[in-house]
Amino acid sequence: DTEVTQTPKHLVMGMTNKKSLKCEQHMGHRAMYWYKQKAKKPPELMFVYSYEKLSINESVPSRFSPECPNSSLLNLHLHALQPEDSALYLCASSHPLGGGAEETQYFGPGTRLLVL
Amino acid sequence: DQQVKQNSPSLSVQEGRISILNCDYTNSMFDYFLWYKKYPAEGPTFLISISSIKDKNEDGRFTVFLNKSAKHLSLHIVPSQPGDSAVYFCAAGLQGAQKLVFGQGTRLTINP
Protein backbone atom coordinates (compact mmCIF):
# COMPACT_ATOMS: atom_id res chain seq x y z
CA ASP A 1 0.00 0.00 0.00
CA THR A 2 1.53 3.31 -1.11
CA GLU A 3 -1.37 5.58 -0.30
CA VAL A 4 -1.14 9.12 0.94
CA THR A 5 -4.49 10.80 1.54
CA GLN A 6 -5.22 14.52 1.60
CA THR A 7 -8.25 16.52 2.64
CA PRO A 8 -10.01 18.53 1.44
CA LYS A 9 -9.77 17.93 -2.31
CA HIS A 10 -10.76 21.51 -3.05
CA LEU A 11 -10.69 24.64 -0.90
CA VAL A 12 -11.80 28.19 -1.60
CA MET A 13 -10.84 30.81 0.96
CA GLY A 14 -10.75 34.56 1.35
CA MET A 15 -7.61 36.46 2.21
CA THR A 16 -8.70 36.90 5.85
CA ASN A 17 -9.66 33.27 6.43
CA LYS A 18 -7.84 30.64 8.44
CA LYS A 19 -7.94 27.09 7.09
CA SER A 20 -5.95 23.87 7.35
CA LEU A 21 -4.90 21.20 4.90
CA LYS A 22 -4.52 17.65 6.18
CA CYS A 23 -2.38 14.74 5.03
CA GLU A 24 -2.23 11.17 6.30
CA GLN A 25 -0.14 8.10 5.52
CA HIS A 26 -0.01 4.64 7.05
CA MET A 27 3.09 3.29 5.35
CA GLY A 28 5.30 3.73 8.39
CA HIS A 29 7.20 6.50 6.65
CA ARG A 30 8.98 8.89 8.97
CA ALA A 31 9.55 11.74 6.51
CA MET A 32 6.67 13.87 5.25
CA TYR A 33 6.69 16.76 2.81
CA TRP A 34 4.60 19.69 1.61
CA TYR A 35 4.92 20.84 -1.99
CA LYS A 36 3.23 23.58 -3.96
CA GLN A 37 2.53 23.14 -7.66
CA LYS A 38 1.37 25.83 -10.06
CA ALA A 39 -0.10 24.99 -13.45
CA LYS A 40 2.41 23.69 -16.01
CA LYS A 41 5.21 23.82 -13.44
CA PRO A 42 7.00 21.12 -11.43
CA PRO A 43 6.28 20.65 -7.72
CA GLU A 44 8.18 23.07 -5.46
CA LEU A 45 9.29 21.87 -2.04
CA MET A 46 7.97 23.87 0.91
CA PHE A 47 8.64 21.88 4.10
CA VAL A 48 10.10 18.55 5.21
CA TYR A 49 9.42 16.80 8.51
CA SER A 50 11.71 13.99 9.58
CA TYR A 51 10.75 11.96 12.65
CA GLU A 52 8.08 14.58 13.43
CA LYS A 53 10.60 17.41 13.51
CA LEU A 54 10.84 20.18 10.93
CA SER A 55 14.06 19.54 9.03
CA ILE A 56 13.68 21.75 5.96
CA ASN A 57 11.84 25.05 5.44
CA GLU A 58 12.41 26.39 1.95
CA SER A 59 12.04 30.02 3.02
CA VAL A 60 8.26 29.76 2.94
CA PRO A 61 6.28 32.84 4.09
CA SER A 62 4.95 32.64 7.65
CA ARG A 63 1.36 32.69 6.42
CA PHE A 64 1.98 28.97 5.82
CA SER A 65 2.48 27.08 9.09
CA PRO A 66 3.20 23.33 9.04
CA GLU A 67 2.50 20.93 11.89
CA CYS A 68 3.28 17.24 12.37
CA PRO A 69 1.14 15.96 15.28
CA ASN A 70 2.39 12.37 14.91
CA SER A 71 4.24 10.13 12.50
CA SER A 72 1.15 9.56 10.32
CA LEU A 73 -0.28 13.07 10.11
CA LEU A 74 0.86 16.32 8.57
CA ASN A 75 -1.07 19.58 8.58
CA LEU A 76 -0.57 22.86 6.77
CA HIS A 77 -2.24 25.83 8.47
CA LEU A 78 -3.11 28.74 6.20
CA HIS A 79 -3.72 32.31 7.31
CA ALA A 80 -3.96 35.61 5.43
CA LEU A 81 -3.10 34.07 2.09
CA GLN A 82 -2.76 36.01 -1.14
CA PRO A 83 -4.40 35.22 -4.50
CA GLU A 84 -0.97 34.19 -5.86
CA ASP A 85 -0.95 31.37 -3.29
CA SER A 86 -3.65 29.62 -5.31
CA ALA A 87 -2.14 26.30 -6.40
CA LEU A 88 -2.24 22.54 -5.96
CA TYR A 89 -0.77 21.63 -2.57
CA LEU A 90 0.79 18.20 -2.49
CA CYS A 91 1.78 16.06 0.45
CA ALA A 92 4.34 13.28 0.13
CA SER A 93 6.00 10.76 2.41
CA SER A 94 9.09 8.55 2.36
CA HIS A 95 11.53 6.68 4.53
CA PRO A 96 13.81 9.46 5.74
CA LEU A 97 17.12 7.74 5.40
CA GLY A 98 17.64 4.51 3.63
CA GLY A 99 19.23 5.28 0.37
CA GLY A 100 18.09 4.87 -3.18
CA ALA A 101 14.65 3.42 -3.73
CA GLU A 102 13.84 3.55 -0.03
CA GLU A 103 13.83 7.34 -0.27
CA THR A 104 11.17 7.33 -2.97
CA GLN A 105 8.58 9.97 -2.20
CA TYR A 106 4.94 8.94 -2.59
CA PHE A 107 2.51 11.74 -3.27
CA GLY A 108 -1.08 12.29 -2.27
CA PRO A 109 -3.74 13.52 -4.72
CA GLY A 110 -3.35 17.12 -3.61
CA THR A 111 -5.63 19.91 -2.42
CA ARG A 112 -6.63 22.43 -5.06
CA LEU A 113 -6.61 25.82 -3.26
CA LEU A 114 -8.18 28.98 -4.59
CA VAL A 115 -7.62 32.24 -2.70
CA LEU A 116 -10.06 35.01 -3.50
CA ASP B 1 19.74 27.64 -12.58
CA GLN B 2 17.83 24.54 -13.59
CA GLN B 3 19.68 21.50 -12.30
CA VAL B 4 17.27 19.07 -13.96
CA LYS B 5 16.00 19.74 -17.46
CA GLN B 6 13.44 18.10 -19.66
CA ASN B 7 13.94 19.85 -22.97
CA SER B 8 10.88 18.47 -24.72
CA PRO B 9 7.68 20.06 -23.38
CA SER B 10 5.60 17.58 -25.36
CA LEU B 11 5.83 14.29 -27.23
CA SER B 12 3.32 12.50 -29.41
CA VAL B 13 3.61 8.75 -30.04
CA GLN B 14 1.43 6.22 -31.80
CA GLU B 15 -0.17 3.50 -29.71
CA GLY B 16 1.96 0.36 -29.63
CA ARG B 17 5.19 2.19 -30.43
CA ILE B 18 8.01 3.08 -28.05
CA SER B 19 7.91 6.35 -26.11
CA ILE B 20 11.27 7.80 -25.09
CA LEU B 21 11.35 10.66 -22.60
CA ASN B 22 14.63 12.40 -21.89
CA CYS B 23 16.09 14.23 -18.93
CA ASP B 24 19.44 15.97 -18.38
CA TYR B 25 21.00 17.07 -15.13
CA THR B 26 23.92 19.27 -14.24
CA ASN B 27 24.81 18.27 -10.67
CA SER B 28 27.13 15.25 -10.75
CA MET B 29 26.48 14.71 -7.03
CA PHE B 30 22.93 13.45 -7.67
CA ASP B 31 22.89 9.77 -6.84
CA TYR B 32 19.36 8.65 -7.44
CA PHE B 33 16.77 9.48 -10.03
CA LEU B 34 13.04 8.95 -10.34
CA TRP B 35 10.28 9.24 -12.89
CA TYR B 36 6.78 10.32 -11.94
CA LYS B 37 3.61 10.38 -14.03
CA LYS B 38 0.96 13.01 -13.42
CA TYR B 39 -2.61 13.34 -14.58
CA PRO B 40 -4.32 16.75 -14.38
CA ALA B 41 -5.48 17.75 -10.88
CA GLU B 42 -3.88 14.65 -9.33
CA GLY B 43 -0.67 14.07 -7.42
CA PRO B 44 2.40 12.62 -9.16
CA THR B 45 2.48 8.83 -9.25
CA PHE B 46 5.85 7.14 -8.78
CA LEU B 47 6.83 5.03 -11.80
CA ILE B 48 10.40 3.87 -11.54
CA SER B 49 13.73 4.87 -10.02
CA ILE B 50 17.41 4.20 -10.55
CA SER B 51 20.45 4.52 -8.36
CA SER B 52 23.65 5.98 -9.73
CA ILE B 53 25.39 2.63 -9.28
CA LYS B 54 23.22 1.17 -12.04
CA ASP B 55 22.78 2.09 -15.68
CA LYS B 56 19.44 0.40 -16.29
CA ASN B 57 16.33 -0.54 -14.36
CA GLU B 58 13.24 -2.28 -15.72
CA ASP B 59 9.72 -2.63 -14.42
CA GLY B 60 7.25 -4.13 -16.85
CA ARG B 61 6.77 -1.77 -19.80
CA PHE B 62 8.98 0.88 -18.21
CA THR B 63 12.78 1.01 -18.44
CA VAL B 64 14.99 3.79 -17.18
CA PHE B 65 18.50 4.24 -18.55
CA LEU B 66 21.19 6.31 -16.84
CA ASN B 67 24.29 7.65 -18.58
CA LYS B 68 26.36 9.23 -15.82
CA SER B 69 29.13 10.51 -18.07
CA ALA B 70 26.58 12.39 -20.16
CA LYS B 71 24.46 13.31 -17.11
CA HIS B 72 21.45 12.01 -18.97
CA LEU B 73 18.61 9.68 -18.20
CA SER B 74 15.75 8.43 -20.28
CA LEU B 75 12.48 6.60 -19.73
CA HIS B 76 11.36 4.06 -22.31
CA ILE B 77 7.76 2.92 -22.42
CA VAL B 78 7.03 -0.01 -24.69
CA PRO B 79 4.48 -0.68 -25.96
CA SER B 80 2.83 2.72 -25.43
CA GLN B 81 -0.83 2.65 -24.42
CA PRO B 82 -3.52 5.38 -24.43
CA GLY B 83 -3.52 5.37 -20.61
CA ASP B 84 0.11 6.47 -20.69
CA SER B 85 -0.99 9.93 -21.86
CA ALA B 86 0.06 12.22 -18.99
CA VAL B 87 2.79 14.62 -17.92
CA TYR B 88 6.04 12.88 -16.95
CA PHE B 89 8.47 14.44 -14.49
CA CYS B 90 12.00 13.28 -13.89
CA ALA B 91 13.50 14.05 -10.50
CA ALA B 92 16.97 13.79 -9.02
CA GLY B 93 18.17 13.66 -5.45
CA LEU B 94 21.00 13.12 -3.05
CA GLN B 95 20.56 10.16 -0.71
CA GLY B 96 19.79 11.44 2.76
CA ALA B 97 19.20 15.02 1.65
CA GLN B 98 15.41 14.56 1.42
CA LYS B 99 15.19 17.05 -1.41
CA LEU B 100 14.17 16.16 -4.93
CA VAL B 101 14.82 18.47 -7.85
CA PHE B 102 12.19 18.10 -10.55
CA GLY B 103 12.40 18.75 -14.26
CA GLN B 104 9.76 20.90 -15.95
CA GLY B 105 7.85 17.89 -17.25
CA THR B 106 7.06 16.41 -20.67
CA ARG B 107 3.47 15.97 -21.81
CA LEU B 108 3.15 12.60 -23.52
CA THR B 109 0.21 11.97 -25.82
CA ILE B 110 -0.45 8.47 -27.15
CA ASN B 111 -2.46 8.51 -30.35
CA PRO B 112 -4.67 5.55 -31.30
Side-chain angles (χ1 to χ4, degrees):
Chain A
D1 181 14
T2 56
E3 189 178 27
V4 178
T5 59
Q6 290 186 245
T7 56
K9 281 190 182 304
H10 302 276
L11 180 62
V12 180
M13 61 186 291
M15 290 188 283
T16 58
N17 292 159
K18 283 186 182 181
K19 297 285 185 184
S20 296
L21 309 184
K22 297 186 184 303
C23 173
E24 190 166 5
Q25 58 87 15
H26 294 287
M27 295 179 276
H29 290 167
R30 300 306 296 275
M32 296 185 76
Y33 310 75
W34 281 115
Y35 286 85
K36 173 181 176 180
Q37 186 174 26
K38 298 281 246 182
K40 300 189 191 301
K41 295 287 188 184
E44 294 177 31
L45 183 66
M46 300 174 72
F47 303 103
V48 181
Y49 273 83
S50 184
Y51 294 96
E52 295 92 70
K53 292 193 187 312
L54 183 64
S55 58
I56 296 176
N57 176 343
E58 291 287 275
S59 302
V60 179
S62 60
R63 58 185 183 269
F64 296 91
S65 175
E67 178 197 18
C68 190
N70 61 55
S71 60
S72 301
L73 292 173
L74 185 67
N75 298 322
L76 186 63
H77 303 297
L78 314 173
H79 174 54
L81 294 194
Q82 304 297 310
E84 59 264 29
D85 296 321
S86 299
L88 181 68
Y89 287 84
L90 295 162
C91 174
S93 71
S94 74
H95 291 291
L97 293 170
E102 290 186 14
E103 290 194 47
T104 297
Q105 293 183 25
Y106 295 92
F107 286 83
T111 293
R112 174 74 58 190
L113 174 66
L114 178 61
V115 182
L116 299 175
Chain B
D1 175 32
Q2 263 189 285
Q3 296 189 68
V4 178
K5 293 182 184 179
Q6 293 175 255
N7 291 318
S8 298
S10 63
L11 176 67
S12 188
V13 175
Q14 199 162 1
E15 182 179 358
R17 299 287 186 110
I18 184 171
S19 296
I20 300 176
L21 297 103
N22 294 303
C23 180
D24 296 296
Y25 61 95
T26 56
N27 187 346
S28 58
M29 299 296 288
F30 288 139
D31 53 15
Y32 74 104
F33 306 86
L34 310 93
W35 284 95
Y36 287 89
K37 170 183 178 179
K38 189 178 184 303
Y39 295 118
E42 292 186 12
T45 301
F46 169 69
L47 279 176
I48 192 167
S49 64
I50 188 166
S51 164
S52 59
I53 62 173
K54 294 186 173 182
D55 54 19
K56 178 182 173 182
N57 189 25
E58 278 183 85
D59 185 1
R61 296 187 299 117
F62 302 94
T63 303
V64 57
F65 294 92
L66 176 63
N67 182 333
K68 287 187 289 295
S69 60
K71 296 193 186 69
H72 177 83
L73 67 155
S74 60
L75 175 68
H76 293 210
I77 306 173
V78 57
S80 300
Q81 299 174 354
D84 296 329
S85 295
V87 176
Y88 288 77
F89 290 98
C90 69
L94 288 164
Q95 292 181 16
Q98 296 182 302
K99 291 177 73 167
L100 289 180
V101 180
F102 285 85
Q104 295 293 100
T106 296
R107 179 175 300 280
L108 175 65
T109 302
I110 306 301
N111 302 307

